[in-house]
Coordinates of all heavy atoms in Angstrom, one line a residue:
L599 N 4.3 19.2 0.6 CA 3.0 18.4 0.5 C 3.0 17.7 -0.8 O 3.3 18.2 -1.8 CB 1.9 19.4 0.6 CG 0.5 18.8 0.6 CD1 0.3 17.9 1.8 CD2 -0.5 20.0 0.7
F600 N 2.5 16.4 -0.7 CA 2.5 15.5 -1.9 C 1.3 14.6 -1.7 O 1.1 14.1 -0.7 CB 3.8 14.7 -1.9 CG 3.9 13.8 -3.1 CD1 4.2 14.2 -4.3 CD2 3.6 12.5 -2.9 CE1 4.2 13.4 -5.4 CE2 3.7 11.6 -3.9 CZ 4.0 12.0 -5.2
S601 N 0.7 14.4 -2.8 CA -0.4 13.4 -2.9 C -0.2 12.4 -3.9 O 0.1 12.8 -5.1 CB -1.7 14.2 -3.2 OG -2.8 13.2 -3.3
L602 N -0.3 11.1 -3.6 CA -0.1 10.1 -4.6 C -1.3 9.1 -4.5 O -1.5 8.6 -3.4 CB 1.2 9.3 -4.3 CG 1.4 8.1 -5.1 CD1 1.6 8.5 -6.6 CD2 2.6 7.3 -4.6
N603 N -2.1 9.0 -5.5 CA -3.2 8.2 -5.5 C -3.0 7.0 -6.4 O -3.0 7.1 -7.6 CB -4.4 9.0 -6.0 CG -5.7 8.2 -5.9 OD1 -5.7 7.1 -5.3 ND2 -6.8 8.7 -6.4
I604 N -2.6 5.9 -5.8 CA -2.4 4.7 -6.5 C -3.6 3.9 -6.6 O -4.1 3.4 -5.6 CB -1.2 3.8 -5.9 CG1 0.1 4.6 -6.0 CG2 -1.1 2.5 -6.6 CD1 1.3 3.9 -5.5
R605 N -4.1 3.7 -7.8 CA -5.4 2.9 -8.0 C -5.0 1.5 -8.2 O -3.9 1.1 -8.4 CB -6.1 3.5 -9.2 CG -6.5 4.9 -9.0 CD -7.5 5.3 -10.0 NE -7.8 6.8 -10.0 CZ -8.4 7.4 -9.1 NH1 -8.9 6.8 -8.1 NH2 -8.6 8.7 -9.1
E606 N -6.0 0.6 -8.1 CA -5.8 -0.8 -8.3 C -5.3 -1.0 -9.8 O -5.9 -0.6 -10.7 CB -7.0 -1.6 -8.1 CG -7.5 -1.6 -6.7 CD -8.8 -2.2 -6.6 OE1 -8.9 -3.4 -6.9 OE2 -9.8 -1.6 -6.2
P607 N -4.1 -1.5 -9.9 CA -3.6 -1.7 -11.3 C -4.3 -2.8 -12.0 O -4.8 -3.8 -11.5 CB -2.1 -2.1 -11.1 CG -2.0 -2.4 -9.7 CD -3.2 -1.9 -8.9
E608 N -4.4 -2.6 -13.3 CA -5.1 -3.6 -14.2 C -4.3 -4.8 -14.3 O -4.9 -5.9 -14.4 CB -5.4 -2.9 -15.5 CG -6.4 -1.8 -15.5 CD -7.8 -2.2 -14.9 OE1 -8.3 -3.3 -15.3 OE2 -8.4 -1.4 -14.1
Q609 N -3.0 -4.7 -14.5 CA -2.2 -5.9 -14.7 C -1.2 -6.2 -13.6 O -0.1 -6.8 -13.9 CB -1.5 -5.7 -16.1 CG -2.4 -5.6 -17.2 CD -1.7 -5.3 -18.5 OE1 -0.6 -4.9 -18.5 NE2 -2.4 -5.5 -19.6
G610 N -1.5 -5.8 -12.4 CA -0.6 -6.1 -11.3 C 0.7 -5.2 -11.3 O 1.7 -5.6 -10.6
Q611 N 0.7 -4.1 -12.0 CA 1.9 -3.3 -12.0 C 1.7 -2.0 -11.3 O 0.6 -1.4 -11.3 CB 2.2 -3.0 -13.5 CG 2.4 -4.2 -14.3 CD 3.7 -4.3 -15.0 OE1 4.4 -3.3 -15.0 NE2 4.1 -5.4 -15.4
L612 N 2.7 -1.5 -10.6 CA 2.7 -0.2 -9.9 C 2.8 0.8 -11.0 O 3.5 0.7 -12.0 CB 3.8 -0.1 -8.9 CG 3.7 -1.0 -7.7 CD1 5.1 -0.9 -6.9 CD2 2.6 -0.6 -6.8
P613 N 2.1 2.0 -10.8 CA 2.1 3.0 -11.8 C 3.5 3.7 -11.8 O 4.3 3.6 -10.9 CB 1.0 4.0 -11.3 CG 0.9 3.7 -9.8 CD 1.3 2.2 -9.7
D614 N 3.7 4.5 -12.9 CA 5.0 5.3 -13.0 C 5.2 6.2 -11.9 O 6.3 6.6 -11.6 CB 5.0 6.0 -14.4 CG 5.0 5.1 -15.6 OD1 5.4 3.9 -15.4 OD2 4.5 5.5 -16.6
T615 N 4.2 6.7 -11.2 CA 4.3 7.7 -10.1 C 5.1 7.1 -9.0 O 5.5 7.8 -8.0 CB 3.0 8.2 -9.7 OG1 2.1 7.1 -9.4 CG2 2.3 9.1 -10.7
L616 N 5.3 5.8 -9.0 CA 6.1 5.2 -7.9 C 7.5 5.8 -7.8 O 8.0 6.1 -6.7 CB 6.3 3.6 -8.1 CG 7.2 2.9 -7.1 CD1 6.6 3.0 -5.7 CD2 7.3 1.5 -7.5
Q617 N 8.1 6.1 -8.9 CA 9.4 6.7 -8.9 C 9.4 8.1 -8.2 O 10.3 8.4 -7.4 CB 10.0 6.8 -10.3 CG 10.3 5.5 -10.9 CD 11.2 4.6 -10.1 OE1 12.2 5.0 -9.5 NE2 10.8 3.3 -10.0
E618 N 8.3 8.8 -8.4 CA 8.2 10.1 -7.8 C 8.0 10.0 -6.3 O 8.5 10.7 -5.5 CB 7.0 10.9 -8.4 CG 6.8 12.3 -7.9 CD 5.6 13.0 -8.6 OE1 5.0 12.4 -9.5 OE2 5.3 14.1 -8.1
A619 N 7.2 9.0 -5.9 CA 6.9 8.7 -4.5 C 8.2 8.3 -3.8 O 8.5 8.7 -2.7 CB 5.9 7.6 -4.3
L620 N 9.0 7.4 -4.4 CA 10.3 7.0 -3.9 C 11.2 8.1 -3.7 O 11.9 8.2 -2.6 CB 10.9 5.9 -4.7 CG 10.2 4.6 -4.7 CD1 10.8 3.6 -5.8 CD2 10.2 3.9 -3.4
A621 N 11.3 9.0 -4.6 CA 12.2 10.2 -4.5 C 11.8 11.1 -3.3 O 12.6 11.6 -2.6 CB 12.2 11.0 -5.8
L622 N 10.5 11.3 -3.2 CA 9.9 12.1 -2.1 C 10.2 11.4 -0.8 O 10.6 12.1 0.2 CB 8.4 12.4 -2.3 CG 7.8 13.3 -1.3 CD1 8.4 14.7 -1.4 CD2 6.3 13.3 -1.5
A623 N 9.9 10.1 -0.7 CA 10.1 9.4 0.5 C 11.6 9.4 1.0 O 11.9 9.6 2.2 CB 9.7 7.9 0.4
K624 N 12.5 9.4 0.0 CA 13.9 9.4 0.3 C 14.3 10.7 1.0 O 15.2 10.7 1.8 CB 14.7 9.2 -0.9 CG 16.2 9.0 -0.7 CD 16.9 8.7 -2.0 CE 18.4 8.4 -1.8 NZ 19.1 8.0 -3.0
N625 N 13.7 11.8 0.6 CA 14.0 13.1 1.1 C 13.1 13.6 2.2 O 13.1 14.8 2.6 CB 14.0 14.1 0.0 CG 15.1 13.8 -1.0 OD1 16.3 13.5 -0.6 ND2 14.8 13.7 -2.3
S626 N 12.3 12.7 2.8 CA 11.3 13.1 3.8 C 11.7 12.5 5.2 O 12.4 11.5 5.3 CB 9.9 12.6 3.5 OG 9.5 13.1 2.3
D627 N 11.3 13.2 6.3 CA 11.5 12.7 7.6 C 10.7 11.5 7.9 O 11.1 10.6 8.6 CB 11.2 13.8 8.6 CG 12.2 15.0 8.5 OD1 13.4 14.8 8.1 OD2 11.8 16.1 8.9
V628 N 9.4 11.5 7.4 CA 8.5 10.4 7.7 C 7.6 10.3 6.5 O 7.3 11.2 5.7 CB 7.7 10.7 9.0 CG1 6.8 11.9 8.8 CG2 6.9 9.5 9.4
V629 N 7.1 9.0 6.2 CA 6.2 8.7 5.1 C 4.9 8.3 5.7 O 4.9 7.4 6.6 CB 6.8 7.6 4.2 CG1 5.8 7.2 3.1 CG2 8.1 8.0 3.6
V630 N 3.8 8.8 5.3 CA 2.5 8.4 5.7 C 1.8 7.7 4.5 O 1.6 8.3 3.4 CB 1.6 9.6 6.1 CG1 0.2 9.1 6.5 CG2 2.3 10.4 7.3
L631 N 1.5 6.4 4.7 CA 0.9 5.6 3.6 C -0.5 5.3 3.9 O -0.8 4.9 5.0 CB 1.7 4.3 3.4 CG 3.0 4.3 2.8 CD1 3.6 2.9 2.8 CD2 3.0 4.9 1.4
G632 N -1.4 5.6 3.0 CA -2.8 5.2 3.2 C -3.0 3.9 2.4 O -2.8 3.8 1.2
L633 N -3.4 2.8 3.1 CA -3.5 1.5 2.5 C -4.9 0.9 2.8 O -5.6 1.4 3.7 CB -2.4 0.6 3.1 CG -1.0 1.1 3.1 CD1 -0.1 0.2 4.0 CD2 -0.5 1.0 1.7
G634 N -5.2 -0.1 2.1 CA -6.5 -0.8 2.4 C -7.2 -1.3 1.1 O -6.5 -1.6 0.2
F635 N -8.5 -1.4 1.2 CA -9.2 -2.1 0.2 C -10.3 -1.3 -0.4 O -11.0 -0.5 0.3 CB -9.9 -3.4 0.8 CG -8.8 -4.2 1.5 CD1 -8.6 -4.1 2.9 CD2 -8.1 -5.1 0.8 CE1 -7.7 -4.9 3.5 CE2 -7.1 -5.9 1.4 CZ -6.9 -5.8 2.7
S636 N -10.5 -1.4 -1.7 CA -11.6 -0.8 -2.4 C -12.9 -1.6 -2.3 O -12.8 -2.8 -1.8 CB -11.3 -0.6 -3.9 OG -11.3 -1.8 -4.5
N637 N -14.0 -1.1 -2.7 CA -15.2 -1.9 -2.6 C -15.3 -3.0 -3.7 O -16.1 -3.8 -3.6 CB -16.5 -1.0 -2.8 CG -16.5 -0.2 -4.1 OD1 -15.6 -0.3 -4.9 ND2 -17.5 0.5 -4.3
R638 N -14.3 -3.0 -4.6 CA -14.2 -4.2 -5.5 C -13.6 -5.4 -4.8 O -13.8 -6.5 -5.2 CB -13.3 -3.8 -6.7 CG -14.0 -2.9 -7.7 CD -13.1 -2.6 -8.9 NE -12.2 -3.7 -9.2 CZ -11.2 -3.5 -10.0 NH1 -10.9 -2.4 -10.5 NH2 -10.4 -4.5 -10.2
I639 N -12.8 -5.1 -3.7 CA -12.1 -6.2 -3.0 C -12.9 -6.6 -1.8 O -12.9 -7.8 -1.4 CB -10.7 -5.8 -2.7 CG1 -9.9 -5.5 -3.9 CG2 -10.0 -6.9 -1.8 CD1 -8.5 -5.0 -3.7
E640 N -13.5 -5.7 -1.1 CA -14.2 -5.9 0.2 C -15.5 -5.1 0.3 O -15.4 -3.9 0.0 CB -13.2 -5.6 1.3 CG -13.8 -5.7 2.7 CD -12.7 -5.3 3.7 OE1 -12.6 -4.0 3.9 OE2 -12.1 -6.2 4.2
S641 N -16.6 -5.7 0.6 CA -17.8 -4.9 0.8 C -18.8 -5.8 1.6 O -18.5 -6.9 2.0 CB -18.4 -4.5 -0.5 OG -19.1 -5.6 -1.1
E642 N -20.0 -5.2 1.9 CA -21.0 -5.9 2.6 C -21.4 -7.2 1.9 O -21.8 -8.1 2.5 CB -22.2 -5.0 2.8 CG -22.0 -3.9 3.8 CD -21.9 -4.3 5.2 OE1 -22.5 -5.3 5.6 OE2 -21.1 -3.7 6.0
A643 N -21.4 -7.2 0.6 CA -21.9 -8.3 -0.2 C -20.9 -9.5 -0.2 O -21.4 -10.6 -0.5 CB -22.2 -7.9 -1.6
F644 N -19.7 -9.3 0.0 CA -18.7 -10.4 0.0 C -17.5 -10.0 0.8 O -17.2 -8.9 1.1 CB -18.3 -10.7 -1.5 CG -17.7 -9.5 -2.2 CD1 -16.4 -9.2 -2.2 CD2 -18.6 -8.6 -2.9 CE1 -15.9 -8.2 -2.9 CE2 -18.1 -7.5 -3.6 CZ -16.7 -7.3 -3.6
D645 N -16.7 -11.0 1.2 CA -15.5 -10.9 2.0 C -14.3 -11.3 1.2 O -14.4 -12.0 0.2 CB -15.6 -11.7 3.3 CG -16.6 -11.2 4.2 OD1 -16.9 -10.0 4.3 OD2 -17.2 -12.1 4.9
R646 N -13.2 -10.8 1.6 CA -11.9 -11.2 1.0 C -11.6 -12.7 1.3 O -12.0 -13.1 2.4 CB -10.8 -10.3 1.5 CG -10.9 -8.9 1.1 CD -9.7 -8.1 1.7 NE -10.0 -7.8 3.1 CZ -9.2 -8.2 4.1 NH1 -8.1 -8.8 3.8 NH2 -9.5 -7.9 5.3
S647 N -10.8 -13.3 0.5 CA -10.4 -14.7 0.8 C -9.1 -14.7 1.4 O -8.7 -15.8 2.0 CB -10.4 -15.5 -0.5 OG -9.5 -14.9 -1.4
E648 N -8.3 -13.6 1.4 CA -7.0 -13.5 2.1 C -7.0 -12.4 3.1 O -7.8 -11.5 3.0 CB -5.9 -13.3 1.0 CG -5.8 -14.4 0.0 CD -4.8 -14.1 -1.1 OE1 -4.1 -13.1 -1.0 OE2 -4.6 -15.0 -2.0
Y649 N -6.1 -12.5 4.0 CA -5.9 -11.4 5.0 C -4.8 -10.4 4.7 O -4.7 -9.5 5.5 CB -5.7 -12.1 6.4 CG -6.9 -12.8 6.9 CD1 -7.0 -14.2 6.9 CD2 -7.9 -12.1 7.5 CE1 -8.1 -14.8 7.4 CE2 -9.1 -12.7 7.9 CZ -9.1 -14.1 7.9 OH -10.2 -14.7 8.4
Q650 N -4.1 -10.6 3.6 CA -3.0 -9.7 3.3 C -3.6 -8.5 2.5 O -4.6 -8.6 1.8 CB -2.0 -10.4 2.5 CG -1.2 -11.4 3.3 CD -0.1 -12.0 2.4 OE1 -0.2 -12.1 1.2 NE2 1.0 -12.4 3.1
L651 N -2.8 -7.4 2.5 CA -3.1 -6.3 1.6 C -2.8 -6.8 0.2 O -2.1 -7.7 0.0 CB -2.2 -5.1 2.0 CG -2.4 -4.4 3.3 CD1 -1.3 -3.5 3.6 CD2 -3.7 -3.7 3.3
P652 N -3.4 -6.1 -0.8 CA -3.1 -6.4 -2.2 C -1.6 -6.4 -2.5 O -0.9 -5.6 -1.9 CB -3.8 -5.3 -3.0 CG -4.9 -4.9 -2.1 CD -4.4 -5.0 -0.7
Q653 N -1.1 -7.3 -3.3 CA 0.3 -7.4 -3.6 C 0.9 -6.1 -4.0 O 2.0 -5.8 -3.6 CB 0.5 -8.5 -4.7 CG 2.0 -8.8 -5.0 CD 2.7 -9.3 -3.7 OE1 2.2 -10.1 -2.9 NE2 3.9 -8.8 -3.5
E654 N 0.2 -5.3 -4.8 CA 0.8 -4.0 -5.2 C 1.0 -3.1 -4.0 O 2.0 -2.3 -4.0 CB -0.2 -3.3 -6.2 CG -0.3 -4.1 -7.5 CD -1.3 -5.2 -7.4 OE1 -2.0 -5.4 -6.4 OE2 -1.3 -6.0 -8.4
Q655 N 0.2 -3.1 -3.0 CA 0.4 -2.3 -1.8 C 1.6 -2.9 -1.0 O 2.4 -2.1 -0.5 CB -0.8 -2.2 -1.0 CG -1.9 -1.4 -1.6 CD -3.2 -1.3 -0.8 OE1 -3.1 -1.2 0.4 NE2 -4.3 -1.2 -1.4
L656 N 1.7 -4.2 -0.9 CA 2.9 -4.8 -0.2 C 4.2 -4.4 -0.9 O 5.2 -4.1 -0.3 CB 2.7 -6.3 -0.1 CG 1.6 -6.8 0.7 CD1 1.4 -8.3 0.5 CD2 1.7 -6.4 2.1
E657 N 4.1 -4.3 -2.3 CA 5.3 -3.9 -3.0 C 5.6 -2.5 -2.8 O 6.8 -2.1 -2.6 CB 5.1 -4.2 -4.5 CG 6.3 -3.8 -5.4 CD 7.5 -4.6 -5.2 OE1 7.4 -5.7 -4.6 OE2 8.6 -4.1 -5.5
L658 N 4.6 -1.6 -2.7 CA 4.8 -0.2 -2.4 C 5.5 0.0 -1.1 O 6.4 0.7 -0.9 CB 3.5 0.5 -2.5 CG 3.5 2.0 -2.1 CD1 4.4 2.8 -3.1 CD2 2.1 2.6 -2.0
I659 N 5.0 -0.7 0.0 CA 5.6 -0.7 1.3 C 7.0 -1.1 1.2 O 7.9 -0.4 1.8 CB 4.8 -1.6 2.3 CG1 3.4 -1.1 2.5 CG2 5.5 -1.7 3.6 CD1 2.4 -2.1 3.1
S660 N 7.3 -2.2 0.6 CA 8.7 -2.7 0.5 C 9.6 -1.7 -0.2 O 10.7 -1.5 0.3 CB 8.7 -4.0 -0.3 OG 10.0 -4.5 -0.5
Q661 N 9.2 -1.1 -1.3 CA 10.0 -0.1 -2.0 C 10.2 1.1 -1.2 O 11.3 1.7 -1.1 CB 9.3 0.2 -3.4 CG 9.3 -0.9 -4.3 CD 10.7 -1.4 -4.8 OE1 11.5 -0.5 -5.0 NE2 10.9 -2.7 -4.8
I662 N 9.2 1.6 -0.5 CA 9.3 2.8 0.3 C 10.2 2.5 1.5 O 11.1 3.4 1.8 CB 7.9 3.3 0.8 CG1 7.0 3.8 -0.3 CG2 8.1 4.4 1.9 CD1 7.4 5.1 -1.0
A663 N 10.1 1.4 2.1 CA 10.9 1.0 3.3 C 12.4 0.9 2.9 O 13.3 1.1 3.8 CB 10.5 -0.3 3.9
K664 N 12.7 0.7 1.7 CA 14.1 0.7 1.2 C 14.8 2.0 1.3 O 16.0 2.1 1.5 CB 14.3 0.1 -0.2 CG 14.0 -1.4 -0.2 CD 14.1 -1.9 -1.7 CE 13.7 -3.4 -1.8 NZ 13.8 -3.9 -3.1
V665 N 14.0 3.1 1.1 CA 14.5 4.4 1.1 C 14.2 5.2 2.4 O 14.9 6.3 2.6 CB 14.1 5.2 -0.1 CG1 14.6 4.5 -1.4 CG2 12.6 5.4 -0.2
N666 N 13.2 4.8 3.1 CA 12.9 5.5 4.4 C 12.1 4.5 5.3 O 11.0 4.1 5.0 CB 12.0 6.7 4.0 CG 11.8 7.6 5.2 OD1 11.8 7.2 6.4 ND2 11.5 8.9 5.0
K667 N 12.7 4.2 6.4 CA 12.1 3.3 7.4 C 11.1 3.9 8.3 O 10.4 3.2 9.0 CB 13.2 2.7 8.3 CG 14.2 1.8 7.5 CD 13.7 0.5 7.2 CE 14.8 -0.4 6.7 NZ 14.2 -1.6 6.1
N668 N 11.0 5.2 8.3 CA 10.0 6.0 9.1 C 8.7 6.0 8.4 O 8.4 7.0 7.8 CB 10.6 7.4 9.5 CG 11.9 7.3 10.2 OD1 12.1 6.5 11.1 ND2 12.8 8.2 9.8
I669 N 7.9 5.0 8.6 CA 6.6 4.9 7.9 C 5.5 4.8 8.9 O 5.5 4.0 9.8 CB 6.6 3.6 7.0 CG1 7.6 3.7 5.9 CG2 5.2 3.4 6.4 CD1 7.8 2.4 5.1
I670 N 4.5 5.6 8.7 CA 3.2 5.5 9.4 C 2.2 5.0 8.4 O 2.0 5.6 7.3 CB 2.7 6.9 9.9 CG1 3.7 7.5 10.9 CG2 1.3 6.8 10.5 CD1 3.5 8.9 11.3
A671 N 1.6 3.8 8.7 CA 0.7 3.2 7.8 C -0.7 3.3 8.4 O -1.0 3.0 9.5 CB 1.0 1.7 7.6
I672 N -1.6 3.9 7.5 CA -3.0 4.0 7.9 C -3.8 3.0 7.0 O -3.8 3.1 5.8 CB -3.5 5.4 7.6 CG1 -2.7 6.4 8.4 CG2 -5.0 5.5 7.9 CD1 -3.0 7.9 8.0
V673 N -4.3 2.0 7.7 CA -5.0 0.9 7.0 C -6.5 1.0 7.1 O -7.0 1.0 8.2 CB -4.5 -0.5 7.5 CG1 -5.2 -1.6 6.7 CG2 -3.0 -0.6 7.4
N674 N -7.2 1.1 6.0 CA -8.6 1.1 5.9 C -9.1 -0.3 5.6 O -8.9 -0.8 4.5 CB -9.1 2.1 4.9 CG -10.6 2.2 4.8 OD1 -11.3 2.2 5.8 ND2 -11.1 2.3 3.6
S675 N -9.8 -0.9 6.5 CA -10.4 -2.2 6.3 C -11.5 -2.5 7.2 O -11.5 -2.1 8.4 CB -9.3 -3.3 6.5 OG -9.8 -4.6 6.4
G676 N -12.5 -3.2 6.7 CA -13.7 -3.6 7.5 C -13.5 -5.0 8.1 O -14.4 -5.5 8.9
T677 N -12.4 -5.7 7.8 CA -12.1 -7.0 8.3 C -10.7 -7.1 8.8 O -9.9 -6.2 8.5 CB -12.4 -8.1 7.3 OG1 -11.6 -7.8 6.1 CG2 -13.9 -8.1 6.9
P678 N -10.2 -8.2 9.4 CA -8.8 -8.3 9.9 C -7.9 -8.2 8.7 O -8.2 -8.6 7.6 CB -8.8 -9.7 10.5 CG -10.2 -10.0 10.9 CD -11.0 -9.3 9.9
V679 N -6.6 -7.7 9.0 CA -5.6 -7.6 8.0 C -4.3 -8.2 8.6 O -3.9 -7.8 9.7 CB -5.4 -6.1 7.6 CG1 -4.2 -6.0 6.6 CG2 -6.6 -5.5 7.0
D680 N -3.6 -9.0 7.8 CA -2.3 -9.5 8.2 C -1.3 -8.4 8.1 O -1.0 -7.9 7.0 CB -1.9 -10.7 7.4 CG -0.6 -11.3 7.7 OD1 0.1 -10.8 8.6 OD2 -0.2 -12.3 7.0
L681 N -0.6 -8.0 9.2 CA 0.3 -6.9 9.2 C 1.8 -7.4 9.4 O 2.6 -6.7 9.9 CB 0.0 -5.8 10.2 CG -1.4 -5.2 10.0 CD1 -1.7 -4.2 11.1 CD2 -1.5 -4.5 8.7
N682 N 2.1 -8.6 9.0 CA 3.4 -9.1 9.2 C 4.5 -8.3 8.5 O 5.6 -8.4 8.8 CB 3.5 -10.6 8.7 CG 3.0 -11.5 9.8 OD1 3.1 -11.2 11.0 ND2 2.6 -12.7 9.4
W683 N 4.1 -7.5 7.5 CA 5.1 -6.7 6.8 C 5.7 -5.6 7.7 O 6.7 -5.0 7.3 CB 4.5 -6.1 5.5 CG 3.2 -5.4 5.8 CD1 1.9 -6.0 5.6 CD2 3.0 -4.1 6.3 NE1 1.0 -5.1 6.0 CE2 1.6 -3.9 6.4 CE3 3.8 -3.1 6.6 CZ2 1.0 -2.7 6.8 CZ3 3.2 -1.9 7.1 CH2 1.8 -1.7 7.2
D684 N 5.1 -5.4 8.8 CA 5.5 -4.3 9.7 C 6.9 -4.5 10.3 O 7.5 -3.6 10.8 CB 4.5 -4.0 10.8 CG 4.3 -5.1 11.8 OD1 4.8 -6.2 11.5 OD2 3.7 -4.8 12.8
N685 N 7.4 -5.7 10.2 CA 8.8 -6.0 10.7 C 9.9 -5.8 9.7 O 11.0 -6.0 9.9 CB 8.8 -7.5 11.2 CG 8.0 -7.7 12.4 OD1 7.8 -6.8 13.2 ND2 7.4 -8.8 12.5
Q686 N 9.5 -5.5 8.5 CA 10.5 -5.3 7.4 C 11.2 -4.0 7.5 O 10.8 -3.0 8.0 CB 9.8 -5.4 6.0 CG 9.2 -6.7 5.8 CD 8.5 -6.8 4.4 OE1 8.6 -5.9 3.6 NE2 7.8 -7.9 4.2

């Protein structure tokens, strides 16, 4: 059992715990990723200007997919999301 809470980075960088997540993903049968938007990005008061997940989450998906293709993605969003990354 493993929990990784990646918060929105201040400077667009993935946290150091990415290496731990990659090692775990490499040795797992399946990876479950929780993705989506915080209330700083999307809320009742305003909408997002883009349909993609935040760049840091796209990078996380890309890095995880390099070591384990068996990914279940749970996306939390109140508006449409571009899921083109699912073919990678």
Side-chain angles (χ1 to χ4, degrees):
L599 181 59
F600 178 79
S601 174
L602 176 65
N603 185 6
I604 294 186
R605 301 194 188 286
E606 293 175 61
E608 294 299 320
Q609 299 176 344
Q611 304 240 343
L612 290 172
D614 294 335
T615 52
L616 175 62
Q617 295 307 315
E618 185 179 354
L620 291 173
L622 183 66
K624 186 175 184 177
N625 295 311
S626 298
D627 294 332
V628 66
V629 176
V630 179
L631 289 177
L633 307 166
F635 304 96
S636 71
N637 61 357
R638 285 184 29 199
I639 298 173
E640 175 182 83
S641 77
E642 289 289 330
F644 56 93
D645 292 326
R646 293 178 283 119
S647 59
E648 299 179 1
Y649 290 103
Q650 291 184 331
L651 290 168
Q653 186 58 41
E654 294 79 13
Q655 291 183 31
L656 295 173
E657 180 65 21
L658 175 64
I659 295 164
S660 175
Q661 293 296 318
I662 295 287
K664 288 178 183 177
V665 298
N666 191 332
K667 297 280 188 194
N668 299 320
I669 298 173
I670 297 171
I672 300 168
V673 181
N674 179 42
S675 175
T677 57
V679 179
D680 177 359
L681 300 178
N682 275 335
W683 50 265
D684 67 346
N685 293 327
Q686 296 181 7

